[in-house]
Amino acid sequence: MRSKRTEFFVGSFIVLGLLAFVYLAVQVSGLAFAGKKDTYQIVARFDDIGGLTSRAKVTIAGVTVGTVESIVLDKELYMGLVTMNIDADVNNIPIDSSIAILTSGLLGEKYLGLSIGAEEEMLTNGEEIYDTQSALVLETLISQFLFKSDSED
Amino acid sequence: MKPIVALGTSFLDWLEAVGRAGIFLVQSIFRVPVRLNEAINLLIKQLYSVGVLSLVIIVVSGAFIGMVLALQGYSILAKFGSEEAVGQLLALALLRELGPVVTALLFAGRAGSSLTAEIGLMKATEQLSSFEMMGVDPLRRVIAPRFIAGVICLPLLSIIFSATGIMGGLVVSVSWLGVHDGAFWSLMQQSVYFDTDIMNGFIKAVCFSVVVTWIAVYQGYECVPTSEGIGKATTRTVVLGSLAILALDFVLTAAMFGDF
Amino acid sequence: MTETYIKVENVRFSRAGRTIYENVSLSIPRGKITAVMGPSGTGKTTLLRLIAAQLAPDSGRILVDNQDVHTLSRTDLYKVRRKMGMLFQSGALFSDMSVAENIAFPMEEHTQLSHDTISQRVSDKLHSVGLRGAADLMPSELSGGMARRVALARAISLDPELVMYDEPFTGQDPISKGVLVSLIRQLNDSANMTSVLVSHDVEESLSIADHVCILSGGRVIAEGTAEAIRASNDPQVKQFLNGEPDGPVPFHYPEKGGDLERDQRGVAS
């Protein structure tokens, strides 16, 4: 009743399904199975986070070094408080570094770009970057442009 | 008065049918197998006929749908100068929607209809009564292995469908249309999240598998045991199954992705 | 004379608004062959399904070995059914198992016998129906008569106390009919089983039955030994036995309000 051939095909089918699952997880979603990497947290306050979402990349010179953990409103200052996880081996970010919300391509996603400062002292867990540059909002840009060309006349 | 009475009657009939089908489902899942070894044998047999035999149609349609999506997506995205995003489009469309939905529709047509016909024929040839007469519960012996096999196979098939679709799209966009493969993968990986996209798609497939297999085995079990009755039941499996998949997909999509 | 094995008491049964039995009472003696006969559509198969409790009567009760089968719990009912074997009209062999597996199935399901014992008993049962050579065939490879004999071997594989035959002779050639008649007789006598035979094949049934019931119009119209039935003067019985086209059972289908005509077969529980 139970033939070896059937069993072989059923086994192969299940293996194929699992392989496809791993393929999707690793290759398509870029999930790393190495477990959670060691990270430390730093925070930054922005006037306007303009469409940044949690899990967005944090980059230095275009290389991803961390992700955004959470974005909440700082109720006292009325600013967006962004907490990010930085890979533990990137432990040499000077405390006077600046951070900006950037856009990949014209319609792409928002991400954070760190620009390295000159101080000898480095950021550690829980510290804050004070030099922040908010997201560029298209409407603000246009109105600035109009206002500027107005005043030049 | 009359139309209201008719409405009430048909609503109550419908409710009764759903209730009966629900009891049927619960009974067939919670029948404990008497002999584990035999139960596993039966399950393997069904995994073969429900899963392995559906593999070809799933792989072929997955590859073609991925290729078509890549072609269409490329021609539109090229207008915005962002051809690289074709990978992102492909992956999200397949993982979130097309993978689970198209697989479930194909499954209803390929495996669901044959389950209904097989069970219907067993009923017509008195095999189900025969099990009962031997003191063997047909729900446990006939229905349960088929139902469980369906619920295991459809999610696996859906994952295989998505994976072959992405590979098909990869071939078309990277090898034929010349999209840069680094950008193809990195944009895809950036926008595809394991838990929201892959897992939600998987959950959809699991929900569809329960509904489609349930409809298929129930229609077979409850069919009028004549050749005409089996034909009607098979048609009902495909029609009801497909409609249920599409309606359920809307509900699940609204619940999963509605707040984006 | 002999002990009653099955007692049907005042059973009323209707389905889909049609009354099939109005008030049927009959008794089936232990260790004998009882033939239940009647024109098509009088619910002969329904009677077997009622005895096996696959269907429940509207009122009245059915006692099998002094147990009311319709009040039993599911588990107890399945226990009682193990004492029953049933030969379905279509044979109802499991199409995905070979002949030997079909016959072994009830034993594997309900006994703790070893594999060797089971295969020994399978070949004994096959031998008793004369089909030992067909053990490895699939049901689709059997002729109609062979399939019915295999089904018979399966029905008796647990050595039941009661075997029910649903139209065993229908669609069989004269040789197969003869084989089945002698098999039924042999099995009944050698294993001391009670047999219930539902049929409208008058000659075959009367030739082996110890006890005969004739059903018509939802009632028992005659009950007794084969000789008594043959000697009956009841016009309905005579019409049925002699196959007269018109008589108390009309040739013409009633135009309205008739409720005993439709063939019952195939409407499973």
Side-chain angles (χ1 to χ4, degrees):
Chain A
M1 210 161 105
R2 180 173 179 171
S3 86
K4 282 273 171 280
R5 193 172 151 271
T6 309
E7 282 176 29
F8 171 75
F9 279 120
V10 170
S12 319
F13 169 59
I14 290 170
V15 167
L16 186 66
L18 294 178
L19 283 180
F21 192 77
V22 171
Y23 173 78
L24 290 184
V26 175
Q27 183 72 355
V28 176
S29 78
L31 189 77
F33 275 108
K36 231 174 163 54
K37 274 196 245 167
D38 255 357
T39 57
Y40 65 100
Q41 287 193 331
I42 56 176
V43 296
R45 288 183 171 81
F46 293 90
D47 290 327
D48 189 343
I49 57 125
L52 187 75
T53 57
S54 56
R55 287 193 306 190
K57 292 186 297 180
V58 181
T59 62
I60 296 174
V63 179
T64 305
V65 295
T67 55
V68 172
E69 168 75 17
S70 68
I71 300 169
V72 290
L73 179 68
D74 182 334
K75 279 203 244 174
E76 283 162 28
L77 299 171
Y78 300 104
M79 290 171 96
L81 177 64
V82 175
T83 310
M84 57 207 112
N85 294 322
I86 307 293
D87 296 348
D89 52 341
V90 188
N91 55 1
N92 53 348
I93 303 170
I95 53 168
D96 64 338
S97 299
S98 68
I99 190 162
I101 297 176
L102 305 169
T103 310
S104 62
L106 189 58
L107 302 164
E109 294 199 7
K110 302 281 186 204
Y111 66 99
L112 290 173
L114 274 164
S115 306
I116 301 304
E119 285 281 345
E120 300 275 293
E121 208 175 325
M122 301 302 165
L123 285 168
T124 55
N125 193 25
E127 287 191 307
E128 180 169 354
I129 298 178
Y130 293 100
D131 186 359
T132 63
Q133 191 186 331
S134 292
L136 290 177
V137 178
L138 206 58
E139 291 92 326
T140 325
L141 277 180
I142 293 168
S143 67
Q144 269 175 2
F145 174 74
L146 289 176
F147 184 70
K148 226 168 146 188
S149 49
D150 251 11
S151 59
E152 272 172 13
D153 283 341
Chain B
M1 260 320 257
K2 251 191 179 163
I4 295 179
V5 171
L7 184 69
T9 312
S10 56
F11 177 71
L12 287 177
D13 285 351
W14 177 80
L15 210 62
E16 194 193 329
V18 171
R20 237 200 334 258
I23 292 168
F24 168 81
L25 178 69
V26 171
Q27 281 183 339
S28 43
I29 302 175
F30 293 104
R31 282 290 144 78
V32 187
V34 176
R35 287 174 298 146
L36 196 64
N37 192 32
E38 190 216 18
I40 290 171
N41 277 349
L42 288 171
L43 183 61
I44 286 180
K45 234 171 164 176
Q46 292 309 320
L47 285 175
Y48 180 79
S49 63
V50 170
V52 176
L53 296 183
S54 306
L55 205 52
V56 173
I57 185 174
I58 293 297
V59 168
V60 172
S61 8
F64 277 116
I65 285 188
M67 288 157 83
V68 169
L69 262 184
L71 276 176
Q72 292 282 11
Y74 180 86
S75 68
I76 292 170
L77 288 168
K79 289 184 186 157
F80 301 100
S82 35
E83 301 93 290
E84 287 80 11
V86 70
Q88 177 180 347
L89 170 100
L90 197 64
L92 288 181
L94 280 168
L95 291 172
R96 288 181 172 185
E97 286 299 332
L98 293 175
V101 172
V102 176
T103 308
L105 291 176
L106 292 171
F107 187 85
R110 163 68 186 73
S113 59
S114 82
L115 281 179
T116 306
E118 190 190 7
I119 296 170
L121 201 63
M122 289 179 85
K123 184 175 183 179
T125 53
E126 295 174 308
Q127 293 183 43
L128 294 185
S129 298
S130 198
F131 277 123
E132 259 181 48
M133 272 310 300
M134 287 178 192
V136 174
D137 188 345
L139 289 183
R140 169 171 69 73
R141 185 65 175 48
V142 176
I143 305 297
R146 286 172 172 76
F147 180 77
I148 294 168
V151 173
I152 293 175
C153 287
L154 178 44
L156 281 176
L157 290 170
S158 154
I159 287 169
I160 293 171
F161 183 94
S162 298
T164 41
I166 289 169
M167 289 182 209
L170 177 75
V171 169
V172 168
S173 47
V174 174
S175 311
W176 295 0
L177 301 171
V179 174
H180 184 256
D181 69 333
F184 179 90
W185 287 119
S186 72
L187 269 172
M188 188 192 283
Q189 289 178 356
Q190 244 174 60
S191 54
V192 174
Y193 292 119
F194 180 75
D195 48 352
T196 54
D197 298 323
I198 296 183
M199 284 319 283
N200 277 349
F202 187 73
I203 292 166
K204 272 189 180 180
V206 171
C207 296
F208 296 158
S209 73
V210 171
V211 171
V212 174
T213 324
W214 177 20
I215 289 175
V217 293
Y218 182 71
Q219 289 297 343
Y221 193 73
E222 288 288 311
C223 76
V224 181
T226 58
S227 37
E228 193 197 4
I230 294 172
K232 276 188 181 159
T234 312
T235 312
R236 259 203 307 275
T237 293
V238 177
V239 173
L240 279 181
S242 308
L243 291 180
I245 290 161
L246 295 172
L248 187 64
D249 182 49
F250 175 72
V251 174
L252 288 174
T253 306
M256 288 170 173
F257 304 106
D259 53 334
F260 281 132
Chain C
M1 81 198 177
T2 43
E3 191 189 344
T4 301
Y5 186 68
I6 298 172
K7 198 157 180 55
V8 178
E9 288 177 345
N10 307 323
V11 164
R12 210 191 113 80
F13 180 75
S14 61
R15 185 162 43 206
R18 287 181 341 102
T19 306
I20 293 160
Y21 297 139
E22 277 168 25
N23 187 355
V24 168
S25 297
L26 52 87
S27 51
I28 290 166
R30 186 188 287 272
K32 303 274 182 189
I33 298 177
T34 303
V36 178
M37 296 194 288
S40 298
T42 41
K44 299 186 296 291
T45 305
T46 308
L47 181 69
L48 295 187
R49 290 189 189 278
L50 283 168
I51 291 172
Q54 284 187 329
L55 297 174
D58 299 340
S59 65
R61 53 183 200 152
I62 293 174
L63 302 176
V64 175
D65 209 6
N66 294 320
Q67 274 182 304
D68 184 346
V69 286
H70 297 282
T71 58
L72 295 175
S73 70
R74 199 181 175 90
T75 329
D76 288 337
L77 175 62
Y78 276 7
K79 264 184 210 149
V80 171
R81 282 193 188 155
R82 279 172 217 174
K83 296 192 289 183
M84 302 178 178
M86 181 141 163
L87 179 65
F88 286 90
Q89 186 166 6
S90 59
L93 293 175
F94 302 131
S95 42
D96 56 346
M97 302 181 198
S98 75
V99 164
E101 282 165 354
N102 258 289
I103 297 168
F105 180 74
M107 290 188 261
E108 278 171 2
E109 198 69 28
H110 292 309
T111 65
Q112 305 297 320
L113 298 175
S114 73
H115 191 74
D116 291 341
T117 323
I118 289 180
S119 50
Q120 181 56 42
R121 289 182 62 172
V122 167
S123 77
D124 288 350
K125 298 292 174 195
L126 273 174
H127 185 69
S128 67
V129 296
L131 287 175
R132 191 135 68 167
D136 295 325
L137 296 180
M138 294 304 282
S140 54
E141 298 169 300
L142 301 175
S143 72
M146 283 161 82
R148 212 160 287 191
R149 276 147 75 186
V150 172
L152 178 56
R154 189 183 64 181
I156 57 169
S157 69
L158 286 177
D159 297 323
E161 295 175 7
L162 168 69
V163 182
M164 293 185 272
Y165 302 91
D166 186 3
E167 303 279 7
F169 310 118
T170 308
Q172 300 292 315
D173 62 62
I175 303 171
S176 307
K177 275 188 193 176
V179 170
L180 283 166
V181 165
S182 65
L183 270 177
I184 292 170
R185 183 81 254 175
Q186 252 175 22
L187 289 171
N188 191 76
D189 296 349
S190 63
N192 196 29
M193 291 188 296
T194 305
S195 306
V196 181
L197 185 76
V198 154
S199 180
H200 48 231
D201 289 271
V202 174
E203 273 320 306
E204 285 79 10
S205 307
L206 288 183
S207 68
I208 51 168
D210 302 306
H211 186 80
V212 178
C213 294
I214 298 183
L215 285 175
S216 184
R219 291 174 302 113
V220 177
I221 56 167
E223 190 174 359
T225 60
E227 293 73 35
I229 294 292
R230 277 189 210 275
S232 168
N233 280 322
D234 185 299
Q236 282 192 52
V237 175
K238 284 177 88 168
Q239 186 199 357
F240 180 70
L241 293 189
N242 302 329
E244 291 154 8
D246 210 352
V249 177
F251 169 68
H252 290 286
Y253 185 90
E255 301 198 357
K256 215 174 14 189
D259 57 5
L260 295 163
E261 300 80 9
R262 205 171 54 113
D263 189 15
Q264 288 313 300
R265 196 175 74 76
V267 189
S269 62

